Amino acid sequence: MTAHVIADDAEAVAVAAALADAFREGASARDSERRLPREELDRLSASGLLAVTVPAGHGGADVRAETLAEIFRLLGSADGSLAQIPQSHFAYVNVIRRQGTPEQRKFFFAELLAGRRFGNAQSEAGTRHVQDIRTRLEPAPDGSYLLTGVKHYCTGALFADWIPVLARAEDDELHVAYVPRDSPGLTVIDDWDGLGQRTTASGTVRLDGVSVPADRVLPHHLTFRGPQLHGAVAQLLHAAIDAGIAAGALAEAAEFVRTKSRPWFESGVETAAEDPLLIQQFGELALRVRASEALLREAARAVDAAGADLTDDSAAEASVAVAAAKVEAGRAAVEVAGALFEVSGTRSALNSANLHRHWRDARTHTLHDPSRWKIQHIGRYALDGTRPPRHGLL
């Protein structure tokens, strides 16, 4: 595969905007038919967007967090499923940036610039909690490792060139093994049946004694020793997807009201778009969308500022700013996508319109991690300056 190399932040946003416009057109049909976006992902890879965080010293654009968030917001406004697929890709690019050896960075950054995609095999089902990882990375006599375990919610794995696998080594510490998609013993099962984000193919990955060379394993546990932005960047992208879903739902509601809705007979107006009560509702919803976008930008700038001068205090400020953006964006996505039906009228509930995909995507995506715990950490930080924990979800 060959891919365009994006030069800078401005080009990255322009490319994302153009792709979002292209992806928006077929989003409803892909969702209703559960047609997996293979062609769209190939376009995404070829565009160079998946390599925009490669450091400049390795030939990448090394875009700001603010730019990366805007890329995801734009994609999310077009297709809440498609935007989710590369989220883990960028999280595991960051692991390489932080924990990779010079040789590992050189190899994988070249892969990214060529358009290769990372999936993920991170979460497990049936364990005590989300950080109870039981997949094992066992040493082999020749110095390589063997991976054994079962992973769930593996967004992007079906479409990936490389699947980063979160596993515990002999010392019980967390490592990431970067495994080629076609490795013997690795099976990707397309069994995702979520009510929303239907085309993410967030299914199961089985690992039955998969052989991994030592130079494809990175010590992820070291990421959380000292100030870090791994969790803040990952959560920033989740917030951007939610903000995008909210904006996409509002835009589609406005289009529906302008072109299909009938005015209520008591309004005395000729078109639904002239109804003062509907105008009021759209104003309120637009405020929610604008607030989510403003907090997203503020959070991204806090991440960029912390990246330029990383300390315990700057990392904490970035994490709290991202948590605030994630809470508000999640609320906006669910509220606006639900209010779409109220402002649009009865016809908006028809399956043939498929406007409910916005709410289904929002409701599904906002279950990724609970907002209630983010609010707890925001409150503690505001009350007595307690820094949030370093566990990768803040």
Side-chain angles (χ1 to χ4, degrees):
M1 178 183 291
T2 59
H4 172 68
V5 178
I6 288 176
D8 54 29
D9 294 73
E11 184 185 5
V13 172
V15 169
L19 284 178
D21 286 342
F23 296 161
R24 184 175 290 109
E25 186 171 346
S28 178
R30 286 193 297 274
D31 173 88
S32 62
E33 300 166 13
R34 198 177 180 272
R35 177 158 39 87
L36 299 181
R38 297 181 186 277
E39 293 181 7
E40 288 77 12
L41 287 170
D42 285 345
R43 289 186 64 181
L44 187 64
S45 292
S47 76
L49 280 181
L50 296 182
V52 293
T53 58
V54 169
H58 289 267
D62 200 9
V63 301
R64 302 187 305 272
E66 185 175 2
T67 297
L68 191 61
E70 179 63 4
I71 289 169
F72 274 79
R73 190 195 69 81
L74 288 166
L75 294 176
S77 73
D79 185 335
S81 279
L82 203 155
Q84 177 65 29
I85 293 170
Q87 189 274 338
S88 292
H89 170 96
F90 284 98
Y92 286 104
V93 173
N94 279 348
V95 174
I96 295 169
R97 288 187 59 141
R98 187 171 174 91
Q99 299 303 336
T101 64
E103 293 77 14
Q104 288 169 329
R105 291 172 185 163
K106 180 180 179 181
F107 174 80
F108 279 114
F109 291 154
E111 287 286 281
L112 293 167
L113 289 169
R116 305 288 188 267
R117 294 193 291 265
F118 291 167
N120 96 87
Q122 177 171 289
S123 294
E124 299 178 12
T127 56
R128 291 185 304 117
H129 51 69
V130 71
Q131 293 201 332
D132 182 14
I133 302 298
R134 301 182 184 181
T135 297
R136 304 306 299 186
L137 190 66
E138 304 288 350
D142 63 358
S144 66
Y145 293 90
L146 294 177
L147 266 175
T148 303
V150 180
K151 297 290 189 175
H152 298 269
Y153 312 118
C154 300
T155 302
L158 191 67
F159 316 112
D161 299 291
W162 292 88
I163 301 179
V165 181
L166 195 60
R168 294 195 184 276
E170 277 190 310
D171 56 7
D172 214 36
E173 298 283 10
L174 284 175
H175 292 68
V176 177
Y178 290 75
V179 184
R181 166 70 176 80
D182 58 358
S183 296
L186 188 155
T187 306
V188 181
I189 304 168
D190 181 21
D191 57 359
W192 170 243
D193 66 348
L195 68 89
Q197 295 196 308
R198 289 176 172 175
T199 61
T200 58
S202 300
T204 300
V205 170
R206 294 187 178 276
L207 303 139
D208 298 311
V210 177
S211 179
V212 185
D215 62 358
R216 297 293 179 261
V217 178
L218 281 72
H220 189 34
H221 60 282
L222 298 180
T223 300
F224 306 103
R225 295 181 184 174
Q228 51 82 35
L229 296 172
H230 178 83
V233 172
Q235 290 290 303
L236 181 71
L237 303 187
H238 283 305
I241 293 167
D242 288 338
I245 291 172
L250 183 63
E252 191 149 6
E255 175 66 15
F256 195 93
V257 168
R258 286 193 301 266
T259 60
K260 295 182 176 67
S261 297
R262 296 183 298 178
W264 184 243
F265 70 95
E266 293 179 281
S267 67
V269 297
E270 291 297 317
T271 67
E274 298 172 282
D275 183 338
L277 298 183
L278 273 182
I279 292 170
Q280 177 72 21
Q281 284 183 287
F282 269 95
E284 297 290 346
L285 295 174
L287 283 175
R288 292 306 303 267
V289 172
R290 285 176 176 264
S292 71
E293 292 173 349
L295 282 174
L296 181 68
R297 288 191 295 270
E298 178 183 293
R301 290 166 185 164
V303 171
D304 282 326
D309 182 19
L310 188 59
T311 65
D312 284 329
D313 288 337
S314 66
E317 181 60 33
S319 290
V320 169
V322 170
K326 179 66 167 61
V327 170
E328 180 59 24
R331 289 174 174 175
V334 173
E335 179 182 331
V336 175
L340 180 154
F341 304 103
E342 171 66 21
V343 297
S344 301
T346 306
R347 278 201 292 171
S348 65
L350 296 176
N351 270 327
S352 58
N354 199 25
L355 295 180
H356 47 69
R357 74 184 185 281
H358 298 290
W359 184 87
R360 288 188 287 101
D361 285 348
R363 184 64 283 175
T364 300
H365 184 247
T366 52
L367 297 175
H368 183 273
D369 51 278
S371 292
R372 60 186 178 274
W373 277 98
K374 297 186 187 305
I375 295 170
Q376 284 285 308
H377 294 305
I378 294 168
R380 290 169 183 162
Y381 188 74
L383 184 62
D384 58 20
T386 299
R387 298 187 188 110
R390 298 171 181 158
H391 55 42
L393 291 171
L394 277 169

